Amino acid sequence: MMALDDRDDAIEETAPVWAVFGDLMAGLLGAFVLILVGVLIVQMDLVAHLNAEIEKRQAEEQRRMALEKALAIPLQSGRVTLNNGRIGISGSVLFAVSSDELRPDGRQLLKSLVQPLKVYLGERNEMLMVSGFTDDKRMREGKNQRFADNLELSAQRALTVTRALIEEGMPPSQVFAAAFGSQQPVASNADEKGRALNRRVEMAPVPRTADVKPDTREQVSAVPAGSAVAPVGAP
């Protein structure tokens, strides 16, 4: 009888140990499942982000190729460049030094850009931002000085190009002018070669900011600080 009692006591003492062990294993299993779920969620987020980035780059590449195709003839002439979706034209092609009067050859070049750009912008419901840039050389002082500084010169040049595009058939609702002066140089201003590269006009397709029918008489858009925006009136 005593032996049976001792055995029952041993079983009763052993049972709580197994219960604790079972609870511990259940807890570890639960923690493992939570970690696994967390890892899977992170991996799914990474895959989604990667796919979105791939789609974005593919869209940008398709956009670049479409723009290259639209401007194939002007690009072949060598007087127009295309870099990261920005159409660049050397300032010397369009204007004389310190002038905002468009050269005849420059107008012909702009005329050749109007039709392909109209089609490109219309298909994507985008607008064209015409940006003027200068070097950092100060304006010459004198009686014949027309511009207060480089920012004003770049604004007038951008406005001149924008108006020329409109005169050659670009809808006023699809184009606006912006000025950056000597900001955002593409080369060093330490020598004439670099300054010549910085004296330029760029045109870049940009998304419309709102789905609102624009006023055909005037186009104004916000641009980064340190730049100026020029209104464009239909001729």
Side-chain angles (χ1 to χ4, degrees):
M1 189 70 178
M2 292 293 293
L4 291 175
D5 290 341
D6 291 342
R7 185 178 299 175
D8 291 339
D9 292 340
I11 293 174
E12 290 177 359
E13 291 177 357
T14 305
V17 174
W18 283 105
V20 170
F21 180 76
D23 291 341
L24 179 61
M25 293 301 296
L28 290 174
L29 180 60
F32 175 77
V33 171
L34 289 176
I35 293 173
L36 181 60
V37 171
V39 170
L40 290 175
I41 291 174
V42 171
Q43 287 183 340
M44 290 175 63
D45 288 341
L46 289 175
V47 170
H49 179 74
L50 180 60
N51 289 335
E53 187 67 23
I54 291 174
E55 291 178 359
K56 179 182 177 182
R57 295 196 176 189
Q58 288 177 342
E60 291 176 351
E61 181 65 15
Q62 292 175 356
R63 187 170 179 266
R64 182 190 64 79
M65 293 176 63
L67 192 56
E68 282 185 354
K69 182 178 179 181
L71 301 175
I73 296 177
L75 286 170
Q76 288 176 0
S77 69
R79 297 190 298 171
V80 175
T81 61
L82 183 61
N83 186 21
N84 293 328
R86 289 178 169 270
I87 306 161
I89 306 176
S90 171
S92 61
V93 173
L94 300 174
F95 305 100
V97 177
S98 300
S99 173
D100 66 334
E101 294 184 11
L102 195 60
R103 296 180 187 270
D105 289 347
R107 176 174 283 275
Q108 287 299 317
L109 176 60
L110 294 176
K111 184 177 180 179
S112 70
L113 298 176
V114 170
Q115 187 57 35
L117 284 175
K118 279 176 59 177
V119 174
Y120 180 88
L121 296 171
E123 289 177 347
R124 290 160 179 77
N125 193 31
E126 294 180 337
M127 299 182 67
L128 187 70
M129 181 173 73
V130 180
S131 303
F133 301 85
T134 67
D135 58 28
D136 65 349
K137 200 171 182 180
R138 294 183 61 181
M139 301 293 297
R140 294 180 181 178
E141 297 182 0
K143 294 181 180 180
N144 297 327
Q145 181 179 338
R146 294 183 53 201
F147 310 107
D149 51 28
N150 284 322
L151 184 61
E152 184 176 344
L153 173 60
S154 67
Q156 289 301 319
R157 285 183 168 180
L159 189 57
T160 296
V161 170
T162 303
R163 284 176 170 159
L165 292 172
I166 293 173
E167 291 168 3
E168 296 298 338
M170 179 72 72
S173 61
Q174 286 187 321
V175 61
F176 65 97
F180 293 85
S182 60
Q183 302 299 315
Q184 301 186 17
V186 293
S188 172
N189 282 301
D191 53 45
E192 178 54 33
K193 182 178 180 181
R195 289 193 293 270
L197 292 173
N198 292 330
R199 296 192 295 269
R200 69 196 190 279
V201 172
E202 291 183 351
M203 292 178 283
V206 296
R208 291 185 182 275
T209 55
D211 189 15
V212 179
K213 185 177 180 179
D215 187 344
T216 58
R217 295 171 298 174
E218 184 175 275
Q219 295 300 317
V220 179
S221 176
V223 295
S227 58
V229 179
V232 180

